[in-house]
Amino acid sequence: MLILAAATAIDSVLLAFDQDINAKAAMAFPQLYIRGIRGLEYTRTKFWLYMLDGLYQSTVVYFITFCAWALGLAVSWNGKGIDSLADFGTTVSVAAIFTANTYVGINTR
């Protein structure tokens, strides 16, 4: 837990030092920014497609996990039941994180 808290804090501190590029640097290398200025990379259509894809992925992750818990027997290694809401939420969270990381890994060039 301490490592996760420290990593989150470090990221927040580093974001405080993030700066926009100044006009001189942007004008010196216009080829780096022309696709963004013209809106060729990220359009409204692409935004809404990503939103629909996220809705689809979250629905699939939830219902596959729900069906696995509803149809299967949720028992731990020592025979005790693990049918609480916290256990179900943990399973959905792990599946969502795995899906998000796999999606980014597949779409990375």
Side-chain angles (χ1 to χ4, degrees):
M1 293 295 279
L2 180 62
I3 293 173
L4 293 175
T8 303
I10 289 170
D11 288 342
S12 300
V13 169
L14 290 177
L15 279 176
F17 295 110
D18 191 21
Q19 297 177 357
D20 291 331
I21 192 164
N22 62 17
K24 282 186 177 181
M27 294 305 287
F29 303 103
Q31 66 273 17
L32 295 176
Y33 307 101
I34 198 71
R35 293 189 62 82
I37 292 169
R38 292 184 182 161
L40 300 174
E41 291 294 328
Y42 198 70
T43 61
R44 284 185 193 260
T45 305
K46 194 176 275 192
F47 169 79
W48 287 111
L49 286 174
Y50 279 127
M51 294 300 277
L52 289 173
D53 186 49
L55 182 65
Y56 166 75
Q57 287 182 21
S58 61
T59 304
V60 168
V61 165
Y62 174 80
F63 282 110
I64 285 177
T65 309
F66 178 77
C67 289
W69 276 69
L71 300 177
L73 184 59
V75 178
S76 69
W77 62 273
N78 61 2
K80 293 183 179 178
I82 53 171
D83 53 354
S84 70
L85 185 60
D87 293 326
F88 177 71
T90 302
T91 306
V92 171
S93 298
V94 169
I97 291 167
F98 179 77
T99 302
N101 289 336
T102 303
Y103 182 78
V104 170
I106 289 171
N107 287 324
T108 302
R109 293 180 194 167

